[in-house]
Amino acid sequence: SWVKTRGEQGAKANLDGADLRVMGDALQKARLPGASLKQVCGVGVDFSGASLVAADFSGADLRFAKFIGADLRGCNFKDCKLSQASFAGANLLPLEGAAGRSYQPRFNGARLCNLDLEGTRMDTALLDALETMACPLAPAAGQSGVDPLRAAS
């Protein structure tokens, strides 16, 4: 009811510390704007197509998670483990708030090795920040040293 009443009734979802792996595909296309998902275990969990606007995943283990086509505007991924996660086609643009305030998705301290960012929507400031945090990638034998973060823009 919190979503339907735009925050006037009910409460935001709070799944802090939960093991989300037991939920199977239940989080695909989920509507959890503003949800608190701090320190969840979401290894391999599929959030594809979900609306997770302004969700707080701080400290979560999201290795191999799928955020394909998800709405992640304004999300907090601070100190998350995100190695091998897929953000393909996801919306990582800033969340526009009241009075023209903008909330950029946050990845401070996150582990960002081998992310899939193909077709991800993000602004240049976030792309630059992700580049400084990404694990250095050595090109595989026979491949060029193309930066996968720059290839996503």
Side-chain angles (χ1 to χ4, degrees):
S1 73
W2 187 83
V3 173
K4 290 180 183 177
T5 64
R6 297 178 188 237
E8 292 181 19
Q9 295 177 3
K12 299 179 200 178
N14 184 331
L15 298 168
D16 292 349
D19 186 345
L20 302 180
R21 296 174 297 177
V22 299
M23 299 187 74
D25 295 339
L27 293 171
Q28 287 180 5
K29 298 183 181 177
R31 291 184 45 132
L32 295 169
S36 187
L37 297 146
K38 296 175 186 171
Q39 298 182 331
V40 297
C41 180
V43 176
V45 171
D46 192 349
F47 296 96
S48 295
S51 176
L52 297 162
V53 175
D56 187 354
F57 284 97
S58 56
D61 188 347
L62 299 166
R63 291 170 294 153
F64 300 95
K66 296 177 186 170
F67 293 96
I68 300 166
D71 190 350
L72 303 171
R73 291 172 294 142
C75 278
N76 183 7
F77 291 101
K78 183 179 183 287
D79 298 325
C80 286
K81 295 176 184 172
L82 288 163
S83 297
Q84 303 288 330
S86 178
F87 289 88
N91 185 352
L92 283 169
L93 291 169
L95 175 63
E96 300 302 324
R101 191 160 177 195
S102 182
Y103 301 90
Q104 183 76 261
R106 294 177 306 281
F107 288 86
N108 311 60
R111 183 84 172 144
L112 305 173
C113 293
N114 301 318
L115 295 184
D116 178 3
L117 296 170
E118 185 176 342
T120 301
R121 291 175 291 170
M122 69 179 92
D123 67 14
T124 306
L126 180 58
L127 178 60
D128 291 343
L130 291 176
E131 278 187 328
T132 64
M133 293 183 273
C135 296
L137 298 176
Q143 293 185 354
S144 70
V146 174
D147 183 341
L149 290 176
R150 280 288 167 202
S153 61

